[in-house]
């Protein structure tokens, strides 16, 4: 009986301001079968600091959040 915990992320890009929705799935696996799982969601906006997040998320934000997107998002907040 070997138990393991597997954590995986998937991403979805939404809105004209390129909000990044991250869904983290945590699974408990026993002998190759998933016993249980849970999800945690987090939304990142162009004005957020993602330097403490995974390199995958940082790369995604770097590619999507251009200066034009950031300026447009800031203008939309006022």
């Amino acid at each position: 009986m070997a138990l393991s915990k597997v954590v995986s992320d998937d991403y979805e890009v939404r809105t004209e301001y390129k909000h990044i929705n991250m869904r983290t799935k945590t699974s408990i696996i026993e002998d190759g079968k998933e016993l249980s799982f849970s999800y945690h969601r987090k939304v990142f906006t162009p004005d957020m600091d993602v330097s403490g997040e995974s390199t995958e998320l940082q790369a995604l934000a770097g590619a999507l959040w251009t200066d034009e997107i950031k300026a447009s998002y800031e203008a939309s907040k006022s």
Side-chain angles (χ1 to χ4, degrees), residues 20-36:
I20 301 171
N21 296 331
M22 180 177 77
R23 182 176 74 165
T24 301
K25 180 180 181 183
T26 304
S27 299
I28 303 301
I29 309 293
E30 179 182 35
D31 297 328
K33 292 186 181 182
E34 185 175 65
L35 297 179
S36 68

Side-chain angles (χ1 to χ4, degrees), residues 2-71:
L3 287 176
S4 62
K5 178 178 167 180
V6 177
V7 179
S8 61
D9 294 323
D10 61 39
Y11 304 95
E12 180 179 53
V13 179
R14 307 282 299 190
T15 80
E16 64 190 272
Y17 306 112
K18 310 297 184 200
H19 290 99
I20 301 171
N21 296 331
M22 180 177 77
R23 182 176 74 165
T24 301
K25 180 180 181 183
T26 304
S27 299
I28 303 301
I29 309 293
E30 179 182 35
D31 297 328
K33 292 186 181 182
E34 185 175 65
L35 297 179
S36 68
F37 65 90
S38 64
Y39 289 109
H40 176 76
R41 295 177 184 269
K42 200 171 182 183
V43 177
F44 298 91
T45 58
D47 61 344
M48 295 177 76
D49 176 16
V50 294
S51 62
E53 300 298 329
S54 70
T55 55
E56 186 176 40
L57 181 70
Q58 290 176 29
L60 187 57
L64 293 171
W65 296 346
T66 62
D67 290 339
E68 182 181 328
I69 292 290
K70 290 178 183 180

